[in-house]
C-alpha cells in the first residue's frame, strides 16, 4: 500500500474519493463515522475528502462537524450546510458541486454503513472498471443486523417486487452505500425524479437504462445505534407509488 502513497505518477495516486455525508440530527454518530473514514482511508492510502451536508439539524450536528474539521483539517473535512431539510437528491446535487474527487462515495452517517468496506468498493471498481459499485445486503456474506422482522420484510419485499417489475440486474436496490464515477452520479441525479426511499432504487434503474456498468460488494448493514429510523408508513406508501411510476415510465 505504501507505493500508492509514494508514487505520484500512478493512476491510483491521481484518483480522489469524495465522501458525501448528508446529515440531520447525527450529533452522536458523526464523530465516530468520520473517525472510521479517516482510519480506513489512511490505512489504504487513497486520497479522500469528506463533505458534510447538514440540513439545519437542531441537535447541533453542524457544531460537532466544525470541531471535527479543526481536528482533521479543512482539506479533509468540508462543511457545506443548508438551512433546512431539502431531500436526499438535492443533498447529493449540493455535494457534487463542492466535490473535487473523480469518484464519489455516498453513505449514511448513522453508522449503518461501515467504512471498512470502502477499500473493497474501490478495488472492485478498479478490477472491473465499473461506473458504479453498490453495496449489497443480499449476496455473498452480506446481511442485515439489528432490524426487527417488519423492517426485514419491508426491505426484502421492496427488493423482490422491484426485481419482478423492473429487472434491474442488481441485487440490492434500496441500499444507499455506493461508489460512483463523479460524472456518472451527475448524470444520474439529473435523470432521477424520485424522492425519499425510492430515490436509491431509481438511481440503479436509470444507470442500467443509460448503459452504465454496476458492480456489487457484499456488506453488513447494522441498524442505527443512536437516533430514530426515518422509515415509516409514509415512506412505504411513497416507495410503492414511486415503484409503479418507474414501472410505467421505464
Amino acid at each position: 500500500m505504501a507505493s500508492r502513497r509514494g508514487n505520484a505518477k500512478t493512476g491510483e495516486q491521481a484518483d480522489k474519493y469524495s465522501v458525501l455525508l448528508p446529515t440531520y440530527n447525527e450529533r452522536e454518530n458523526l464523530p465516530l463515522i468520520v473517525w472510521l473514514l479517516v482510519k480506513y482511508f489512511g490505512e489504504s492510502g487513497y486520497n479522500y475528502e469528506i463533505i458534510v451536508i447538514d440540513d439545519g439539524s437542531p441537535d447541533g450536528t453542524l457544531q460537532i462537524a466544525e470541531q471535527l474539521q479543526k481536528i482533521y483539517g479543512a482539506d479533509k473535512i468540508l462543511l457545506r450546510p443548508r438551512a433546512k431539510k431539502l431531500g436526499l437528491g438535492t443533498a447529493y446535487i449540493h455535494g457534487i458541486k463542492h466535490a473535487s474527487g473523480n469518484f464519489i462515495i455516498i453513505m449514511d452517517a448513522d453508522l449503518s454503513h461501515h467504512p471498512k468496506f470502502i477499500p473493497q468498493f474501490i478495488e472492485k471498481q478498479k478490477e472491473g472498471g465499473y461506473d458504479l459499485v453498490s453495496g449489497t445486503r443480499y449476496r455473498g456474506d452480506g446481511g442485515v443486523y439489528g432490524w426487527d422482522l417488519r423492517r426485514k420484510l419491508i426491505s426484502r419485499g421492496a427488493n423482490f417486487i422491484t426485481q419482478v417489475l423492473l429487472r434491474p440486474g442488481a441485487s440490492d436496490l434500496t441500499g444507499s452505500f455506493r461508489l460512483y464515477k463523479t460524472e456518472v452520479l451527475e448524470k444520474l441525479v439529473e435523470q432521477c425524479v424520485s424522492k425519499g426511499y425510492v430515490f436509491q432504487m431509481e438511481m440503479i434503474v436509470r444507470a442500467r437504462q443509460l448503459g452504465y456498468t454496476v458492480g456489487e460488494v457484499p456488506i453488513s448493514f447494522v441498524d442505527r445505534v443512536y437516533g430514530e429510523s426515518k422509515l415509516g408508513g409514509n415512506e412505504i406508501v411513497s416507495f410503492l407509488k414511486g415503484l409503479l411510476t418507474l414501472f410505467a415510465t421505464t
Side-chain angles (χ1 to χ4, degrees), residues 116-158:
K116 70 181 180 182
F117 295 108
I118 288 176
Q120 294 176 40
F121 279 49
I122 294 172
E123 293 304 323
K124 183 74 174 179
Q125 191 284 323
K126 291 182 180 302
E127 169 193 308
Y130 293 107
D131 294 306
L132 73 99
V133 175
S134 180
T136 177
R137 298 162 287 183
Y138 304 126
R139 275 201 182 147
D141 55 0
V144 175
Y145 303 91
W147 274 2
D148 59 19
L149 183 60
R150 172 181 165 273
R151 288 289 303 275
K152 288 182 179 178
L153 287 173
I154 290 169
S155 182
R156 282 282 190 182

Side-chain angles (χ1 to χ4, degrees), residues 217-232:
V217 169
I219 62 163
S220 302
F221 176 95
V222 181
D223 196 25
R224 59 184 302 123
V225 178
Y226 299 107
E228 295 179 5
S229 169
K230 299 173 180 73
L231 176 63

Side-chain angles (χ1 to χ4, degrees), residues 54 88 91 99 102 113-114 122 128 152 154 157 163 165 236-237 243:
D54 187 64
L88 196 57
N102 57 323
H113 299 145
H114 201 301
I122 294 172
K152 288 182 179 178
I154 290 169
Q163 298 290 345
L165 290 180
I236 297 165
V237 172
L243 175 60

